[in-house]
Amino acid sequence: MSGTTSVAMEDPQPREMAGKRVLIVYAHQEPKSMNGSLKDAAVSELSNRGCQVTVSDLYAMNFEPRATKKDFTGPLNNSDFFNYGIEAHVAYKKGILSSDVIEEQKKVQEADLIIFQFPLYWFSVPAIMKGWMDRVLCQGFAFDFPECFDRGFLQNKLALVSFTTGGDAELYSKTGLSGDIKYILWPLQSSMVCCISVVSKSWPLRSALLLNTHQKIRERRWWLLGQGDWRPSGKSSR
């Protein structure tokens, strides 16, 4: 779907947003797509509110989604049997993760709010975004055991899921062919809750099912201007 010009609106119950840092992790190949329009609307409105916005445009960056031995710049912890999760944990502690992973982790560390913008692919995020999560949100950086969920290392940050679908609201209803969107999103939201405070579960669901392009962007602007709560529900354990 092609992008459109966003519609100016009045300021509904503005919040203090100036100086906040926002990271948008964006996964779409076409800048003129709906996802591109939503990303641009977020950048524009947040910047106008005094936020410092950074965009990780994963396709434009040619981000590597595969979790491999190339993610480590030093010797493996166990060269006889490769376990990516363990190796990433050790590499993070030793400071030998690859430069692209370290760069994304710095963006996450600096952000107050992280927005994930993507189209729904086979009831999940695109592979390139899943790879970003697998490689960047590693053990030691985003969580540990038992430091996860409400004790996760990123609980001082907020996360927002914003996405588009290939069907209407009825298709993703309790009786729809694709099933209830709440259950489709459960694995993604559960993964985020492991280390980050999720801003809202109702807003992205409602926004993703709007059919009209202008209305969708207006809904996004309303949330950015007045409905977001910048106060995390938990505190970082770091």
Side-chain angles (χ1 to χ4, degrees):
M1 185 178 293
S2 61
T4 63
T5 303
S6 55
V7 180
M9 299 187 66
E10 285 186 15
D11 219 354
Q13 301 176 353
R15 304 276 185 132
E16 290 297 327
M17 303 174 72
K20 298 295 183 180
R21 295 176 180 266
V22 180
L23 170 63
I24 302 177
V25 184
Y26 167 68
H28 201 285
Q29 307 91 331
E30 175 52 64
K32 297 187 293 294
S33 65
M34 171 64 77
N35 279 270
S37 297
L38 288 170
K39 180 262 295 179
D40 291 343
V43 171
S44 176
E45 291 302 328
L46 289 166
S47 298
N48 289 340
R49 290 287 152 184
C51 295
Q52 300 180 47
V53 184
T54 300
V55 178
S56 283
D57 186 339
L58 300 184
Y59 285 105
M61 294 161 56
N62 198 25
F63 185 81
E64 172 59 73
R66 296 172 297 178
T68 69
K69 296 178 182 179
K70 294 181 180 180
D71 289 348
F72 318 119
T73 61
L76 295 177
N77 179 64
N78 184 346
S79 58
D80 295 326
F81 186 87
F82 183 68
N83 183 308
Y84 184 86
I86 292 175
E87 294 294 342
H89 187 197
V90 173
Y92 174 75
K93 292 190 292 185
K94 290 184 176 180
I96 58 172
L97 288 170
S98 59
S99 59
D100 61 334
V101 173
I102 292 175
E103 179 63 26
E104 293 304 299
Q105 288 180 341
K106 288 180 179 178
K107 295 176 186 178
V108 171
Q109 285 177 325
E110 293 174 352
D112 298 299
L113 170 66
I114 304 170
I115 299 175
F116 295 91
Q117 181 67 58
F118 60 93
L120 201 66
Y121 281 3
W122 286 106
F123 305 103
S124 185
V125 298
I128 198 168
M129 180 172 285
K130 180 59 165 62
W132 185 95
M133 295 175 178
D134 290 342
R135 298 179 65 221
V136 175
L137 303 178
C138 68
Q139 184 176 354
F141 170 71
F143 70 96
D144 212 324
F145 299 105
E147 291 83 11
C148 53
F149 294 101
D150 61 343
R151 297 174 61 186
F153 295 150
L154 305 178
Q155 281 296 312
N156 63 328
K157 306 178 186 304
L158 298 173
L160 170 68
V161 177
S162 176
F163 61 98
T164 58
T165 67
D168 59 17
E170 183 178 355
L171 186 66
Y172 291 93
S173 65
K174 291 182 179 179
T175 58
L177 186 62
S178 293
D180 193 330
I181 190 69
K182 291 185 292 185
Y183 299 111
I184 294 172
L185 286 183
W186 184 87
L188 175 61
Q189 292 179 329
S190 180
S191 298
M192 288 186 182
V193 171
C194 181
C195 54
I196 310 174
S197 297
V198 177
V199 175
S200 168
K201 295 184 179 180
S202 60
W203 181 83
L205 296 180
R206 183 175 70 249
S207 176
L209 298 176
L210 293 174
L211 301 179
N212 181 278
T213 301
H214 287 284
Q215 185 178 1
K216 184 176 287 188
I217 293 180
R218 287 199 299 269
E219 287 286 324
R220 179 60 174 264
R221 292 166 65 92
W222 272 96
W223 187 90
L224 292 173
L225 290 174
Q227 301 304 316
D229 191 342
W230 287 91
R231 295 168 296 180
S233 60
K235 295 183 178 179
S236 173
S237 58
R238 298 179 101 184

